[in-house]
Amino acid sequence: MNRASSSRLSELPQRVESNRMSMVYATPQSKQPCFGKLNIPKPQSVTSERRTSFFGSRGAGMARNSTFGGTEKMKDPRPLHDKAYVQQCIRQLCEFLSEKDFPGSMSVKSLQSPSTKEFLKIFEFIYCLLDPTFQMPTSKVEEEVPRILKDLGYPFVLSKSSMYSVGAPHTWPQVLGAVVWLIDTVKIFCCMSDQDLLFADFSDGSTEIEDGVEFNKLFLDYTAETYNKFMQGADTFDEEDADYLAKLKRLYNVDEGLLASMEEKYRMLSDEVERLEKESQTDRLMVKRTEKVKLQTDLQKLQSYRSNLESFKANLENKASGLAEELEASGLQVETLKQEESRLQHILSTQKFTPADIERINWEKRELQQTVNSLSKSLEQAEQHMWNEEIALAKAKETAEVKLAEYHKLARKLKLIPVSAENACGHDFEIRTSIEYGPSTMVQCRTQIQQLLRKLITDVDEECSRLTDMKLSLEESIEQVNSNISDKANDLKQLREQIRRLDEQLEQDMQDIAHEEQRWSAEMESVETHRKLLEKKVTLGYDESVEQLKAVNLFSLRSAELDVGSSHLAKSNFLLNLNSLQDGSPYTRTVELM
């Protein structure tokens, strides 16, 4: 059966395709809720405001607080003493009464502190939406209203005393919370009632039972999970909604690609319709053409619907022919049974046994039956005993196998298995399991392995003692080496100290040499300065002498010749003095002082 038929109560096609997408109410079977204790799912949020209702509906017969243990009173998690929250609840109540055409005049101001009479009128009007035959009793109203709320599954206790003064500031918030919860119950009931599909009486019984069980299981799991989280203070259930929607899609094999394509097609058609509507505002001919297209579309839908009805009719005719064949086969079977009955009746009337023989045969039959029963019980007891023994044997065998596995694991770790292992020494330490082994064989194997293990333990102890002696000797050697190392370390420390002192002395000597070099450099600079000054003075004196020589040449040539010779002599003396000054001789110092 395809997905369309499995998700509806009727095999008939829908007259008009529904575009409503509901996550919580995406059920293939809309069940009419019973009055009394309603088992109603949580509705989607009607407005963008904070949800002001409390999901308190439970299945019929469920004890109060059965999920949370005992008969302890449940604490209301709603902030009923918050003025903003109370005003929000009042606005929601007023909007609901306006939508449902409440016969009286009601406003937000009048709902701030209503009288008991007004409250009873509101309560009767809201409850009549669930049960149109309901009439508010004239006596013991303070007991009737809490009882009705309790029967509907309201999870909190509404005291009788609150009915005497409904509009009091300390009682009106609790009463208002109960009324808002009742409004949510009505909304859920209305949403579920609107989902009744066409031709619901022609549903396939097997499909309804199968799909209903799967869907109800998913829906009850979703309801229980969201209800528990709501009682813990949660306000939104996005993750649970997404998980529930995914499970529904898997249950009914929803094609996501098809849905996406249909949404895209719907969007394109909506844009086209808007464009055509805008164009048709000034063109009556276009309006008529649009109407014509719509009528043609409706005609096509009706023709499609008619073809679907014809196919459904043919399906029903096929089912009717199948039922007729089954009825004919049943009639033939009845005739056969009647013939068998007549044959058996004839045999009974013509039999040769007397009533005493029949009674004796029956008595022997009962005796044999008792014997068979006693033997059957003995056989069952023997089989049970054998079963218990087999279980005990299997447990003992399993324990032995576990211990044997531990033994083999330890033996492999100790390199005793296989025979060619390092510590096996050519002996076979492996224990093999075989049902042919008897107790004597196991004892012999155990004795042999124990002897080998004792020998191995003795060898290991001797090796350990030898290694211990070797370890002690090595420790002594290590101590001696450590002592030598400490002595060498002390010597090395002393040498490093001497090296440090020599480095400090070397550094001091280098500093002294550097100071001496600086002092000699300064003295050389001073001497060079004095040399340059002396050269300058000698040059000036030489120039003055040349001028004096030229002046003397005017007086006398003779005297000039003499003066020239003297000037050569003076120049030679000056050059000698200059060379001696460059050589730094004491004579230079004497000339400088002069």
PDB file of all heavy atoms in Angstrom, residues 16 35 45 50 78 118 124 150 160 194 209 219 235 241 268 297 328 337 346-347 353 382 399 530 538:
ATOM      1  N   VAL A  16      -9.968  17.944  -2.253  1.00  0.00           N
ATOM      2  CA  VAL A  16      -9.042  19.066  -2.460  1.00  0.00           C
ATOM      3  C   VAL A  16      -7.808  18.770  -1.654  1.00  0.00           C
ATOM      4  O   VAL A  16      -7.905  18.378  -0.493  1.00  0.00           O
ATOM      5  CB  VAL A  16      -9.662  20.406  -2.010  1.00  0.00           C
ATOM      6  CG1 VAL A  16      -8.664  21.534  -2.227  1.00  0.00           C
ATOM      7  CG2 VAL A  16     -10.937  20.675  -2.793  1.00  0.00           C
ATOM      8  N   PHE A  35     -14.773  12.183  26.126  1.00  0.00           N
ATOM      9  CA  PHE A  35     -14.919  13.179  27.177  1.00  0.00           C
ATOM     10  C   PHE A  35     -14.680  12.517  28.519  1.00  0.00           C
ATOM     11  O   PHE A  35     -14.878  11.340  28.700  1.00  0.00           O
ATOM     12  CB  PHE A  35     -16.303  13.816  27.118  1.00  0.00           C
ATOM     13  CG  PHE A  35     -16.523  14.584  25.855  1.00  0.00           C
ATOM     14  CD1 PHE A  35     -17.326  14.075  24.848  1.00  0.00           C
ATOM     15  CD2 PHE A  35     -15.886  15.784  25.658  1.00  0.00           C
ATOM     16  CE1 PHE A  35     -17.518  14.767  23.687  1.00  0.00           C
ATOM     17  CE2 PHE A  35     -16.077  16.492  24.505  1.00  0.00           C
ATOM     18  CZ  PHE A  35     -16.897  15.973  23.506  1.00  0.00           C
ATOM     19  N   SER A  45       2.335  26.447  19.279  1.00  0.00           N
ATOM     20  CA  SER A  45       2.153  27.767  19.854  1.00  0.00           C
ATOM     21  C   SER A  45       1.272  28.592  18.934  1.00  0.00           C
ATOM     22  O   SER A  45       1.542  28.742  17.753  1.00  0.00           O
ATOM     23  CB  SER A  45       3.514  28.440  20.034  1.00  0.00           C
ATOM     24  OG  SER A  45       3.353  29.737  20.532  1.00  0.00           O
ATOM     25  N   ARG A  50       4.907  34.182  24.845  1.00  0.00           N
ATOM     26  CA  ARG A  50       5.283  33.039  25.667  1.00  0.00           C
ATOM     27  C   ARG A  50       4.057  32.184  25.915  1.00  0.00           C
ATOM     28  O   ARG A  50       2.965  32.695  26.138  1.00  0.00           O
ATOM     29  CB  ARG A  50       5.885  33.536  26.981  1.00  0.00           C
ATOM     30  CG  ARG A  50       6.203  32.417  27.954  1.00  0.00           C
ATOM     31  CD  ARG A  50       6.717  33.021  29.244  1.00  0.00           C
ATOM     32  NE  ARG A  50       6.851  31.983  30.256  1.00  0.00           N
ATOM     33  CZ  ARG A  50       7.916  31.250  30.417  1.00  0.00           C
ATOM     34  NH1 ARG A  50       8.927  31.403  29.628  1.00  0.00           N
ATOM     35  NH2 ARG A  50       7.987  30.343  31.384  1.00  0.00           N
ATOM     36  N   ARG A  78       4.533  27.658  36.642  1.00  0.00           N
ATOM     37  CA  ARG A  78       4.209  28.924  35.988  1.00  0.00           C
ATOM     38  C   ARG A  78       4.287  30.084  36.974  1.00  0.00           C
ATOM     39  O   ARG A  78       3.876  29.947  38.126  1.00  0.00           O
ATOM     40  CB  ARG A  78       2.803  28.839  35.380  1.00  0.00           C
ATOM     41  CG  ARG A  78       2.654  27.795  34.308  1.00  0.00           C
ATOM     42  CD  ARG A  78       1.222  27.642  33.867  1.00  0.00           C
ATOM     43  NE  ARG A  78       0.373  27.142  34.948  1.00  0.00           N
ATOM     44  CZ  ARG A  78      -0.931  26.906  34.842  1.00  0.00           C
ATOM     45  NH1 ARG A  78      -1.529  27.152  33.688  1.00  0.00           N
ATOM     46  NH2 ARG A  78      -1.621  26.440  35.849  1.00  0.00           N
ATOM     47  N   GLU A 118     -19.494  35.767  36.794  1.00  0.00           N
ATOM     48  CA  GLU A 118     -18.847  35.939  35.492  1.00  0.00           C
ATOM     49  C   GLU A 118     -17.893  34.775  35.199  1.00  0.00           C
ATOM     50  O   GLU A 118     -17.818  34.294  34.061  1.00  0.00           O
ATOM     51  CB  GLU A 118     -18.089  37.259  35.468  1.00  0.00           C
ATOM     52  CG  GLU A 118     -18.987  38.474  35.516  1.00  0.00           C
ATOM     53  CD  GLU A 118     -18.190  39.757  35.604  1.00  0.00           C
ATOM     54  OE1 GLU A 118     -16.980  39.687  35.906  1.00  0.00           O
ATOM     55  OE2 GLU A 118     -18.778  40.819  35.366  1.00  0.00           O
ATOM     56  N   GLU A 124     -18.417  27.819  31.792  1.00  0.00           N
ATOM     57  CA  GLU A 124     -19.440  27.039  31.104  1.00  0.00           C
ATOM     58  C   GLU A 124     -19.323  27.203  29.591  1.00  0.00           C
ATOM     59  O   GLU A 124     -19.453  26.233  28.830  1.00  0.00           O
ATOM     60  CB  GLU A 124     -20.817  27.499  31.580  1.00  0.00           C
ATOM     61  CG  GLU A 124     -21.967  26.691  30.962  1.00  0.00           C
ATOM     62  CD  GLU A 124     -23.319  27.143  31.477  1.00  0.00           C
ATOM     63  OE1 GLU A 124     -23.365  28.149  32.228  1.00  0.00           O
ATOM     64  OE2 GLU A 124     -24.332  26.518  31.138  1.00  0.00           O
ATOM     65  N   LYS A 150     -10.196  18.237  37.295  1.00  0.00           N
ATOM     66  CA  LYS A 150      -9.443  17.031  37.658  1.00  0.00           C
ATOM     67  C   LYS A 150      -9.713  15.907  36.667  1.00  0.00           C
ATOM     68  O   LYS A 150      -8.801  15.174  36.268  1.00  0.00           O
ATOM     69  CB  LYS A 150      -9.827  16.609  39.078  1.00  0.00           C
ATOM     70  CG  LYS A 150      -9.083  15.380  39.579  1.00  0.00           C
ATOM     71  CD  LYS A 150      -9.491  15.041  40.988  1.00  0.00           C
ATOM     72  CE  LYS A 150      -8.745  13.786  41.476  1.00  0.00           C
ATOM     73  NZ  LYS A 150      -9.158  13.423  42.856  1.00  0.00           N
ATOM     74  N   LYS A 160     -11.577  24.297  46.867  1.00  0.00           N
ATOM     75  CA  LYS A 160     -12.977  24.708  46.840  1.00  0.00           C
ATOM     76  C   LYS A 160     -13.147  26.142  47.322  1.00  0.00           C
ATOM     77  O   LYS A 160     -14.026  26.872  46.849  1.00  0.00           O
ATOM     78  CB  LYS A 160     -13.813  23.766  47.708  1.00  0.00           C
ATOM     79  CG  LYS A 160     -13.807  22.315  47.233  1.00  0.00           C
ATOM     80  CD  LYS A 160     -14.622  21.448  48.170  1.00  0.00           C
ATOM     81  CE  LYS A 160     -14.576  19.973  47.739  1.00  0.00           C
ATOM     82  NZ  LYS A 160     -15.347  19.106  48.658  1.00  0.00           N
ATOM     83  N   ASP A 194     -10.638  18.984  13.363  1.00  0.00           N
ATOM     84  CA  ASP A 194     -10.559  19.462  11.986  1.00  0.00           C
ATOM     85  C   ASP A 194      -9.835  18.501  11.068  1.00  0.00           C
ATOM     86  O   ASP A 194      -9.846  18.684   9.851  1.00  0.00           O
ATOM     87  CB  ASP A 194      -9.861  20.823  11.951  1.00  0.00           C
ATOM     88  CG  ASP A 194     -10.685  21.900  12.619  1.00  0.00           C
ATOM     89  OD1 ASP A 194     -11.922  21.722  12.718  1.00  0.00           O
ATOM     90  OD2 ASP A 194     -10.093  22.919  13.030  1.00  0.00           O
ATOM     91  N   ILE A 209      -4.990  -0.496  11.896  1.00  0.00           N
ATOM     92  CA  ILE A 209      -4.406  -1.049  13.131  1.00  0.00           C
ATOM     93  C   ILE A 209      -2.895  -0.962  13.081  1.00  0.00           C
ATOM     94  O   ILE A 209      -2.246  -0.493  14.007  1.00  0.00           O
ATOM     95  CB  ILE A 209      -4.862  -2.510  13.314  1.00  0.00           C
ATOM     96  CG1 ILE A 209      -6.378  -2.546  13.581  1.00  0.00           C
ATOM     97  CG2 ILE A 209      -4.123  -3.164  14.458  1.00  0.00           C
ATOM     98  CD1 ILE A 209      -6.960  -3.923  13.630  1.00  0.00           C
ATOM     99  N   PHE A 219       3.919   8.908  18.802  1.00  0.00           N
ATOM    100  CA  PHE A 219       3.288  10.087  19.392  1.00  0.00           C
ATOM    101  C   PHE A 219       3.345  10.055  20.915  1.00  0.00           C
ATOM    102  O   PHE A 219       3.603  11.071  21.572  1.00  0.00           O
ATOM    103  CB  PHE A 219       1.834  10.166  18.919  1.00  0.00           C
ATOM    104  CG  PHE A 219       1.101  11.351  19.480  1.00  0.00           C
ATOM    105  CD1 PHE A 219       1.370  12.617  18.995  1.00  0.00           C
ATOM    106  CD2 PHE A 219       0.176  11.203  20.488  1.00  0.00           C
ATOM    107  CE1 PHE A 219       0.722  13.713  19.508  1.00  0.00           C
ATOM    108  CE2 PHE A 219      -0.470  12.292  21.007  1.00  0.00           C
ATOM    109  CZ  PHE A 219      -0.207  13.549  20.522  1.00  0.00           C
ATOM    110  N   ASP A 235      10.722  25.391  28.079  1.00  0.00           N
ATOM    111  CA  ASP A 235       9.670  26.188  27.467  1.00  0.00           C
ATOM    112  C   ASP A 235       9.538  25.927  25.973  1.00  0.00           C
ATOM    113  O   ASP A 235       8.489  26.156  25.390  1.00  0.00           O
ATOM    114  CB  ASP A 235       9.948  27.675  27.716  1.00  0.00           C
ATOM    115  CG  ASP A 235       8.714  28.515  27.449  1.00  0.00           C
ATOM    116  OD1 ASP A 235       7.618  28.128  27.879  1.00  0.00           O
ATOM    117  OD2 ASP A 235       8.855  29.540  26.785  1.00  0.00           O
ATOM    118  N   ASP A 241      10.803  18.272  18.598  1.00  0.00           N
ATOM    119  CA  ASP A 241       9.954  18.427  17.417  1.00  0.00           C
ATOM    120  C   ASP A 241      10.664  17.940  16.156  1.00  0.00           C
ATOM    121  O   ASP A 241      10.081  17.255  15.321  1.00  0.00           O
ATOM    122  CB  ASP A 241       9.572  19.907  17.258  1.00  0.00           C
ATOM    123  CG  ASP A 241       8.667  20.375  18.381  1.00  0.00           C
ATOM    124  OD1 ASP A 241       8.122  19.516  19.122  1.00  0.00           O
ATOM    125  OD2 ASP A 241       8.491  21.590  18.519  1.00  0.00           O
ATOM    126  N   MET A 268       6.490  29.440  -7.110  1.00  0.00           N
ATOM    127  CA  MET A 268       6.421  30.001  -8.461  1.00  0.00           C
ATOM    128  C   MET A 268       4.980  30.308  -8.855  1.00  0.00           C
ATOM    129  O   MET A 268       4.685  31.364  -9.435  1.00  0.00           O
ATOM    130  CB  MET A 268       7.046  29.015  -9.447  1.00  0.00           C
ATOM    131  CG  MET A 268       8.550  28.808  -9.243  1.00  0.00           C
ATOM    132  SD  MET A 268       9.233  27.495 -10.284  1.00  0.00           S
ATOM    133  CE  MET A 268       8.884  28.154 -11.912  1.00  0.00           C
ATOM    134  N   THR A 297      -9.099  24.762 -14.394  1.00  0.00           N
ATOM    135  CA  THR A 297      -8.325  24.001 -13.396  1.00  0.00           C
ATOM    136  C   THR A 297      -9.254  23.208 -12.483  1.00  0.00           C
ATOM    137  O   THR A 297      -9.002  22.034 -12.170  1.00  0.00           O
ATOM    138  CB  THR A 297      -7.468  24.961 -12.570  1.00  0.00           C
ATOM    139  OG1 THR A 297      -6.627  25.717 -13.448  1.00  0.00           O
ATOM    140  CG2 THR A 297      -6.588  24.187 -11.583  1.00  0.00           C
ATOM    141  N   GLU A 328     -18.362 -18.165  -1.269  1.00  0.00           N
ATOM    142  CA  GLU A 328     -18.689 -19.405  -1.969  1.00  0.00           C
ATOM    143  C   GLU A 328     -17.828 -20.554  -1.452  1.00  0.00           C
ATOM    144  O   GLU A 328     -18.322 -21.668  -1.217  1.00  0.00           O
ATOM    145  CB  GLU A 328     -18.473 -19.207  -3.476  1.00  0.00           C
ATOM    146  CG  GLU A 328     -18.886 -20.416  -4.312  1.00  0.00           C
ATOM    147  CD  GLU A 328     -18.695 -20.159  -5.798  1.00  0.00           C
ATOM    148  OE1 GLU A 328     -18.302 -19.018  -6.142  1.00  0.00           O
ATOM    149  OE2 GLU A 328     -18.924 -21.085  -6.597  1.00  0.00           O
ATOM    150  N   LEU A 337     -18.459 -30.130   5.717  1.00  0.00           N
ATOM    151  CA  LEU A 337     -18.555 -30.423   7.153  1.00  0.00           C
ATOM    152  C   LEU A 337     -19.876 -31.117   7.481  1.00  0.00           C
ATOM    153  O   LEU A 337     -19.927 -32.013   8.340  1.00  0.00           O
ATOM    154  CB  LEU A 337     -18.404 -29.134   7.954  1.00  0.00           C
ATOM    155  CG  LEU A 337     -17.007 -28.492   7.931  1.00  0.00           C
ATOM    156  CD1 LEU A 337     -17.030 -27.165   8.655  1.00  0.00           C
ATOM    157  CD2 LEU A 337     -15.989 -29.427   8.565  1.00  0.00           C
ATOM    158  N   HIS A 346     -23.778 -41.670  11.210  1.00  0.00           N
ATOM    159  CA  HIS A 346     -24.115 -43.003  10.725  1.00  0.00           C
ATOM    160  C   HIS A 346     -23.220 -44.055  11.374  1.00  0.00           C
ATOM    161  O   HIS A 346     -23.683 -45.135  11.779  1.00  0.00           O
ATOM    162  CB  HIS A 346     -23.976 -43.049   9.195  1.00  0.00           C
ATOM    163  CG  HIS A 346     -24.220 -44.416   8.615  1.00  0.00           C
ATOM    164  ND1 HIS A 346     -25.480 -45.013   8.567  1.00  0.00           N
ATOM    165  CD2 HIS A 346     -23.344 -45.317   8.035  1.00  0.00           C
ATOM    166  CE1 HIS A 346     -25.379 -46.206   8.032  1.00  0.00           C
ATOM    167  NE2 HIS A 346     -24.095 -46.417   7.676  1.00  0.00           N
ATOM    168  N   ILE A 347     -21.921 -43.767  11.507  1.00  0.00           N
ATOM    169  CA  ILE A 347     -20.999 -44.710  12.159  1.00  0.00           C
ATOM    170  C   ILE A 347     -21.387 -44.908  13.618  1.00  0.00           C
ATOM    171  O   ILE A 347     -21.366 -46.030  14.145  1.00  0.00           O
ATOM    172  CB  ILE A 347     -19.569 -44.189  12.038  1.00  0.00           C
ATOM    173  CG1 ILE A 347     -19.099 -44.242  10.570  1.00  0.00           C
ATOM    174  CG2 ILE A 347     -18.611 -45.004  12.906  1.00  0.00           C
ATOM    175  CD1 ILE A 347     -17.769 -43.573  10.331  1.00  0.00           C
ATOM    176  N   PHE A 353     -20.327 -51.621  19.638  1.00  0.00           N
ATOM    177  CA  PHE A 353     -20.009 -51.553  21.052  1.00  0.00           C
ATOM    178  C   PHE A 353     -21.246 -51.184  21.857  1.00  0.00           C
ATOM    179  O   PHE A 353     -22.051 -50.341  21.450  1.00  0.00           O
ATOM    180  CB  PHE A 353     -18.904 -50.510  21.311  1.00  0.00           C
ATOM    181  CG  PHE A 353     -17.584 -50.895  20.691  1.00  0.00           C
ATOM    182  CD1 PHE A 353     -17.172 -50.316  19.488  1.00  0.00           C
ATOM    183  CD2 PHE A 353     -16.775 -51.849  21.295  1.00  0.00           C
ATOM    184  CE1 PHE A 353     -15.976 -50.677  18.916  1.00  0.00           C
ATOM    185  CE2 PHE A 353     -15.574 -52.194  20.714  1.00  0.00           C
ATOM    186  CZ  PHE A 353     -15.161 -51.628  19.529  1.00  0.00           C
ATOM    187  N   ALA A 382      13.042 -35.291  34.692  1.00  0.00           N
ATOM    188  CA  ALA A 382      14.342 -35.807  34.289  1.00  0.00           C
ATOM    189  C   ALA A 382      15.037 -34.850  33.306  1.00  0.00           C
ATOM    190  O   ALA A 382      16.253 -34.591  33.409  1.00  0.00           O
ATOM    191  CB  ALA A 382      14.189 -37.201  33.660  1.00  0.00           C
ATOM    192  N   THR A 399      34.329 -22.038  33.317  1.00  0.00           N
ATOM    193  CA  THR A 399      35.294 -21.582  34.330  1.00  0.00           C
ATOM    194  C   THR A 399      36.663 -22.204  34.083  1.00  0.00           C
ATOM    195  O   THR A 399      37.705 -21.527  34.171  1.00  0.00           O
ATOM    196  CB  THR A 399      34.785 -21.944  35.729  1.00  0.00           C
ATOM    197  OG1 THR A 399      33.474 -21.417  35.908  1.00  0.00           O
ATOM    198  CG2 THR A 399      35.713 -21.408  36.798  1.00  0.00           C
ATOM    199  N   HIS A 530     104.416  69.229  19.495  1.00  0.00           N
ATOM    200  CA  HIS A 530     105.584  70.099  19.684  1.00  0.00           C
ATOM    201  C   HIS A 530     106.477  70.106  18.446  1.00  0.00           C
ATOM    202  O   HIS A 530     107.050  71.151  18.064  1.00  0.00           O
ATOM    203  CB  HIS A 530     106.379  69.635  20.908  1.00  0.00           C
ATOM    204  CG  HIS A 530     105.704  69.988  22.198  1.00  0.00           C
ATOM    205  ND1 HIS A 530     105.534  71.297  22.634  1.00  0.00           N
ATOM    206  CD2 HIS A 530     105.149  69.205  23.164  1.00  0.00           C
ATOM    207  CE1 HIS A 530     104.904  71.303  23.793  1.00  0.00           C
ATOM    208  NE2 HIS A 530     104.652  70.021  24.144  1.00  0.00           N
ATOM    209  N   VAL A 538     110.742  77.201  12.868  1.00  0.00           N
ATOM    210  CA  VAL A 538     111.967  77.155  12.064  1.00  0.00           C
ATOM    211  C   VAL A 538     111.711  77.747  10.691  1.00  0.00           C
ATOM    212  O   VAL A 538     112.534  78.493  10.134  1.00  0.00           O
ATOM    213  CB  VAL A 538     112.478  75.708  11.972  1.00  0.00           C
ATOM    214  CG1 VAL A 538     113.582  75.593  10.920  1.00  0.00           C
ATOM    215  CG2 VAL A 538     113.010  75.246  13.313  1.00  0.00           C
TER     216      VAL A 538
END
